[in-house]
Amino acid sequence: MIKQIYQRLFDHYGPQHWWPAQERFEILVGAILTQNTNWQNVERALHSLSLASCTTPEQIVSCPDQDLAAHIRSSGYFNVKARRLKAFCSWLLEQGGLAVLDTRDTGDLRAELLSVHGIGPETADDMLLYAFERPVFVIDAYTRRIFSRVGLVEEKINYEDLQCFFEDSLDADVGMFNEYHALIVRHGKEVCRTSPRCDTCVLKDLCAFRAGVEGPDRP
DNA sequence: ACCCAGGGTCATA
DNA sequence: TATGACCATGGG
């Protein structure tokens, strides 16, 4: 069923070409900036960082807090995210850079990322999948919403359990994990929002909701 | 005027 | 361990 849903989303939306960034470090920065934030606002912040020549770990750690916060202003939570960016960049530098981290075991790397201030499970997994190209399935609010709505998992399922649900059901394929998560976000943005609009949904027949009619076991 | 967005931390009970 | 407050901009 999980593979069939992937096929349907892919057939309907096509390839999403994620992560929308050019350099690996930009992916890592974007993963922090996009926390609970629209990607369009993140792009402005990334552009602003670029204009300010604040595009390397060294430049970010040496940038005054006030200035860094100003550069990423458009991405929201700018004081919080400025501190998180600095924490991540100083960690990255003390680890010896990306090339060193590339040699690390995926499980160890994930645990170390989670130990950095401001990096939680989703941000860590974004980094692991899209920047380190490890076969880790990214979970987000859309994933939980879509897959509980089609009745495959409980609505309150926790992050790790939902992640295992995907990773146990699918081949560990980085390219497919990349596309699947991107498709879930795309689908979530277009159709499956907080209030169901299943009339135009590709997963219409699977969803507990129907257009204008509630499912029998749903409030 | 509302609600939401590609979360995470910290303080409380 | 489990909720709730908090962070904050920009678009619909």
Side-chain angles (χ1 to χ4, degrees):
Chain A
M1 179 61 81
I2 298 190
K3 288 189 177 186
Q4 296 169 24
I5 291 177
Y6 172 71
Q7 272 307 320
R8 257 207 236 184
L9 294 176
F10 187 85
D11 291 345
H12 185 77
Y13 295 108
Q16 301 299 301
H17 309 292
W18 271 36
W19 186 280
Q22 302 152 12
E23 303 197 10
R24 284 179 83 194
F25 182 64
E26 190 182 337
I27 297 176
L28 297 167
V29 171
I32 291 173
L33 294 183
T34 197
Q35 291 171 350
N36 203 36
T37 300
N38 189 305
W39 182 254
Q40 191 176 8
N41 289 357
V42 175
E43 282 191 316
R44 292 185 181 137
L46 289 171
H47 184 243
S48 181
L49 286 170
S50 182
L51 290 179
S53 292
C54 206
T55 56
T56 68
E58 292 86 351
Q59 288 165 340
I60 287 178
V61 293
S62 61
C63 183
D65 292 0
Q66 302 274 350
D67 296 348
L68 185 57
H71 296 143
I72 63 172
R73 178 179 173 278
S74 68
S75 69
Y77 307 143
F78 45 79
N79 289 313
V80 168
K81 287 175 179 174
R83 193 166 66 244
R84 292 179 183 178
L85 276 183
K86 283 203 169 188
F88 172 70
C89 288
S90 62
W91 171 82
L92 181 56
L93 290 172
E94 82 185 22
Q95 293 298 310
L98 292 178
V100 173
L101 295 177
D102 281 335
T103 67
R104 200 107 42 179
D105 171 78
T106 298
D108 294 343
L109 183 52
R110 185 173 197 271
E112 292 190 51
L113 285 169
L114 289 175
S115 74
V116 178
H117 175 86
I119 299 185
E122 183 180 342
T123 305
D125 291 339
D126 274 337
M127 292 175 167
L128 287 168
L129 179 62
Y130 292 103
F132 293 98
E133 300 184 3
R134 308 299 178 94
V136 168
F137 202 93
V138 180
I139 303 301
D140 66 349
Y142 290 132
T143 315
R144 191 172 286 103
R145 189 181 304 158
I146 293 169
F147 285 84
S148 65
R149 203 166 276 179
V150 301
L152 288 177
V153 299
E154 297 296 321
E155 193 171 355
K156 304 294 288 183
I157 188 172
N158 68 43
Y159 190 99
E160 314 288 341
D161 287 347
L162 186 50
Q163 183 173 49
C164 285
F165 176 69
F166 282 93
E167 293 186 357
D168 292 346
S169 312
L170 298 167
D171 301 322
D173 181 337
V174 172
M176 188 264 290
F177 281 9
N178 175 327
E179 204 64 65
Y180 206 159
H181 175 62
L183 284 165
I184 286 169
V185 173
R186 172 70 184 276
H187 180 68
K189 283 201 277 204
E190 288 211 6
V191 181
C192 200
R193 291 176 172 269
T194 49
S195 61
R197 287 164 27 197
C198 292
D199 49 318
T200 58
C201 178
V202 230
L203 308 177
K204 181 178 180 177
D205 56 313
L206 303 176
C207 197
F209 291 103
R210 299 290 181 272
V213 183
E214 293 186 357
D217 56 345
R218 291 274 183 165

